[in-house]
């Protein structure tokens, strides 16, 4: 089948892509757009290294055909920082030592971001559940959980200061 | 992991989708959330030459509740089911099962229609739907038909769906007052786990609140398809709700199960069928008395 055209928004920017239908969103992000922050781990939805936000919801991009993203909004890890300013979650991961090899990190941060977008003060159990689709082989998850708690506290403080 | 090549169709109406399936029949697969089909295709367990994506077909994601029934569109995701307020009253066992499916990432894509159509013996959403007495709507070019879910599964990965059909809706009769349900899933891990054994119970108490007027007991992962345990149900109907009846029902459930010993020994599976059946019935009773 010839290539098909897809129009979608990636990290806030409208993009028109031409791709073969059998290619996944993960492949298109990494190989066509050079957005290599999203990782290929298992390719079958079991590890979460390929996590992106699709219309704000975390999904395994290895199991989304690029064609299925037509008309949708995709957020990758690259879309979190504002220029040089890291997102509070990214900052918290750095400060808490939640990053070792870094391979799971983009997926972890996006899953956590989706959680905090919906819930201001998640419990530890809710945080662990939110990242239960993201595997980490290095950290044992403890620092990751603390980083998310930290980021939530920081964001709540900032929110109160603003109001 | 690479997908094999295929021709891709993105119909913008159900009618268009059905037309494509009528033309290509066995050569086409329907794509909803992709968490089953695309995995199978990557593993070369499936290689349809035509993939018909339902993403642009409207009207398949609605959930509605009336006095007599709950209708769930086939493209409703597991995440939507898990968080649904429509399901809270007496249908919580379905939300519970949906919330345990896969992982949060998988739940944002996996659909109820896909879980049924893919028909794995351990499919998480099936036991609760069997316990709730659900039926499915199958649409094709010339119309639609409804089938009770208890008749829907033929074998692992095999259902009554014809190549030219799309499963569009799941219909659940609204449970009467005095009804309570529960779902339990046993596995080694707490996420990304295929059930070793799963159990869904639904009981209805009589007006006195002491005896069981109606009961359904469904088991997953312990037979070539998810099953209802008629033995358990017979042990429950008419009995006083409590430990004694639940024990007898649990023993009957273990007799109805036919585990294939794939992921764990049949002996262990049968022991766990008993445990989960008893526990699910206990929880269903609490739920019924609320």
């Amino acid at each position: 089948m010839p290539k098909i055209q897809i129009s979608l928004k990636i990290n806030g920017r409208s993009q028109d892509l031409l791709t073969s239908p059998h290619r996944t969103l993960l492949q298109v992000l990494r190989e066509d757009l050079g957005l290599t922050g999203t990782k290929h781990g298992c390719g079958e939805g079991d590890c979460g290294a390929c996590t992106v936000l699709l219309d704000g919801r975390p999904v395994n991009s290895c199991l989304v055909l690029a064609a299925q993203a037509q008309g949708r909004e995709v957020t990758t890890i690259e879309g979190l920082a504002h220029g040089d300013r890291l997102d509070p979650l990214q900052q918290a991961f750095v400060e808490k030592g939640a990053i070792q090899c870094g391979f799971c990190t983009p997926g972890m941060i996006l899953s956590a971001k989706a959680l905090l977008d919906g819930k201001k003060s998640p419990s530890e159990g809710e945080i662990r559940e939110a990242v239960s689709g993201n595997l980490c082989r290095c950290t044992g998850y403890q620092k990751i959980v603390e980083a998310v708690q930290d980021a939530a506290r920081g964001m709540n403080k900032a929110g109160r200061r603003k109001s | 992991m690479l997908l094999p090549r295929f021709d891709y169709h993105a119909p913008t109406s159900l009618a268009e989708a059905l037309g494509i399936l009528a033309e290509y029949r066995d050569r086409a697969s329907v794509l909803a959330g992709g968490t089953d089909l695309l995995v199978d295709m990557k593993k070369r367990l499936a290689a349809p030459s035509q993939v018909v994506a339902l993403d642009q077909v409207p009207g398949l994601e609605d959930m509605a509740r009336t006095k007599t029934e709950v209708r769930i569109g086939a493209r409703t995701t597991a995440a939507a089911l898990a968080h649904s307020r429509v399901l809270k009253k007496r249908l919580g066992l379905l939300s519970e099962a949906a919330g345990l499916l896969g992982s949060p990432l998988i739940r944002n894509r996996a659909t109820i229609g896909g879980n049924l159509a893919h028909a794995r013996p351990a499919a998480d959403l099936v036991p609760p739907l069997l316990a709730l007495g659900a039926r499915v709507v199958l649409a094709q070019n010339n119309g639609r038909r409804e089938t009770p879910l208890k008749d829907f599964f033929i074998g692992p990965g095999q259902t009554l769906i014809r190549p030219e059909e799309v499963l569009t809706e799941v219909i659940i009769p609204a449970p009467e007052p005095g009804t309570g349900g529960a779902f339990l899933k046993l596995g080694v891990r707490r996420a990304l786990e295929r059930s070793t054994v799963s159990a869904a119970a639904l009981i209805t108490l009589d007006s006195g609140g002491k005896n069981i007027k109606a009961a359904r007991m469904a088991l997953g992962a312990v037979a070539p398809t998810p099953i209802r345990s008629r033995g358990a149900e017979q042990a429950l109907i008419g009995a006083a709700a409590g430990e004694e009846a639940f024990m007898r029902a649990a023993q009957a459930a273990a007799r109805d199960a036919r585990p294939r010993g794939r992921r764990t020994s049949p002996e262990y599976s049968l022991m766990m069928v008993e445990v989960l059946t008893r526990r699910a019935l206990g929880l269903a009773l609490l739920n019924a008395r609320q």
Side-chain angles (χ1 to χ4, degrees):
Chain A
M1 184 177 190
K3 295 190 178 180
I4 53 181
Q5 174 146 19
I6 310 164
S7 301
L8 70 165
K9 254 204 181 145
I10 299 179
N11 297 331
R13 268 184 71 210
S14 295
Q15 302 264 10
D16 287 320
L17 305 166
L18 207 59
T19 182
S20 302
H22 74 296
R23 296 180 74 235
T24 62
L25 179 59
L26 176 64
Q27 284 174 286
V28 163
L29 289 170
R30 290 182 56 81
E31 297 164 22
D32 298 10
L33 296 169
L35 294 168
T36 53
T38 312
K39 310 300 182 193
H40 178 279
C42 70
E44 36 182 290
D46 271 343
C47 76
C50 68
T51 304
V52 300
L53 301 183
L54 186 63
D55 291 341
R57 295 194 194 96
V59 299
N60 298 113
S61 64
C62 70
L63 295 183
V64 178
L65 295 179
Q68 290 182 290
Q70 163 65 37
R72 316 281 289 265
E73 289 196 42
V74 177
T75 307
T76 70
I77 189 68
E78 289 90 349
L80 250 55
H82 297 283
D84 276 345
R85 222 172 13 111
L86 292 178
D87 181 276
L89 263 171
Q90 291 172 303
Q91 194 64 44
F93 267 61
V94 169
E95 286 168 10
K96 278 289 177 183
I99 305 169
Q100 290 188 31
C101 81
F103 204 77
C104 76
T105 305
M108 286 286 182
I109 289 179
L110 288 170
S111 287
K113 174 154 176 59
L115 172 71
L116 295 182
D117 281 348
K119 219 168 215 173
K120 290 221 183 303
S121 302
S123 66
E124 181 179 335
E126 286 168 331
I127 295 172
R128 288 185 184 274
E129 212 227 353
V131 299
S132 63
N134 297 88
L135 301 184
C136 175
R137 297 293 283 124
C138 298
T139 67
Y141 303 95
Q142 188 57 36
K143 296 299 181 187
I144 290 171
V145 172
E146 289 175 18
V148 179
Q149 289 171 322
D150 218 51
R153 274 191 297 265
M155 281 154 73
N156 287 336
K157 253 198 253 162
R160 280 200 288 278
R161 250 187 275 128
K162 260 192 249 153
S163 54
Chain B
M1 262 182 172
L2 299 178
L3 284 164
R5 284 175 188 270
F6 48 84
D7 287 344
Y8 180 75
H9 306 264
T12 55
S13 71
L14 183 60
E16 192 187 345
L18 294 173
I20 298 166
L21 291 176
E23 185 185 340
Y24 289 103
R25 301 178 60 89
D26 289 76
R27 304 194 317 269
S29 284
V30 172
L31 174 65
T35 52
D36 278 332
L37 179 64
L38 295 183
V39 175
D40 280 355
M41 288 173 70
K42 286 185 178 196
K43 292 182 175 178
R44 301 302 189 267
L45 297 171
S49 71
Q50 316 294 318
V51 169
V52 184
L54 297 180
D55 295 72
Q56 313 288 343
V57 175
L60 296 177
E61 284 175 281
D62 305 316
M63 251 197 287
R65 183 167 191 156
T66 65
K67 277 220 172 85
T68 54
E69 62 188 21
V70 178
R71 303 180 78 103
I72 303 175
R75 281 190 60 224
T76 304
T77 63
L81 292 172
H83 298 126
S84 165
R85 287 207 202 111
V86 170
L87 298 178
K88 265 203 160 54
K89 197 166 168 217
R90 299 187 207 290
L91 287 93
L93 64 163
L94 180 58
S95 301
E96 178 82 22
L100 292 171
L101 190 156
S103 72
L105 307 172
I106 297 282
R107 294 195 279 277
N108 280 329
R109 296 292 290 168
T111 65
I112 186 171
N115 197 240
L116 297 183
H118 198 242
R120 298 322 303 161
D124 287 311
L125 302 182
V126 183
L129 289 170
L130 283 174
L132 287 165
R135 51 191 202 280
V136 293
V137 179
L138 303 170
Q140 35 114 338
N141 260 339
N142 293 327
R144 10 176 295 165
R145 59 183 180 128
E146 290 185 11
T147 302
L149 196 63
K150 65 175 170 58
D151 303 328
F152 183 68
F153 301 100
I154 303 169
Q158 289 180 291
T159 69
L160 292 179
I161 299 181
R162 299 192 196 116
E164 68 271 21
E165 285 178 324
V166 172
L167 195 165
T168 55
E169 227 179 350
V170 180
I171 305 175
I172 303 171
E176 328 171 19
T179 301
F183 173 80
L184 291 172
K185 173 176 180 169
L186 177 70
V188 175
R189 339 182 254 251
R190 296 211 294 227
L192 290 165
E193 176 72 298
R194 205 174 300 156
S195 301
T196 303
V197 177
S198 65
L202 195 81
I203 57 177
T204 304
L205 301 174
D206 66 9
S207 47
K210 288 239 160 69
N211 293 337
I212 298 171
K213 192 169 75 168
R216 289 198 203 95
M217 191 68 221
L219 303 168
V222 291
T225 69
I227 58 169
R228 292 256 303 267
S229 168
R230 305 299 174 163
E233 292 168 3
Q234 275 161 23
L236 292 166
I237 296 172
E243 265 308 301
E244 208 193 301
F246 296 167
M247 285 265 287
R248 278 185 279 119
Q251 285 158 3
R255 288 193 291 273
D256 282 340
R258 322 183 285 284
R260 296 178 297 166
R262 284 277 177 89
R263 302 180 67 233
T264 187
S265 73
E267 293 81 14
Y268 179 72
S269 286
L270 294 176
M271 282 170 62
M272 293 304 108
V273 165
E274 261 190 70
V275 171
L276 258 67
T277 298
R278 249 186 43 236
R279 288 188 191 174
L281 286 167
L283 292 169
L285 180 59
L286 286 174
N287 193 240
R289 290 203 165 133
Q290 270 172 0

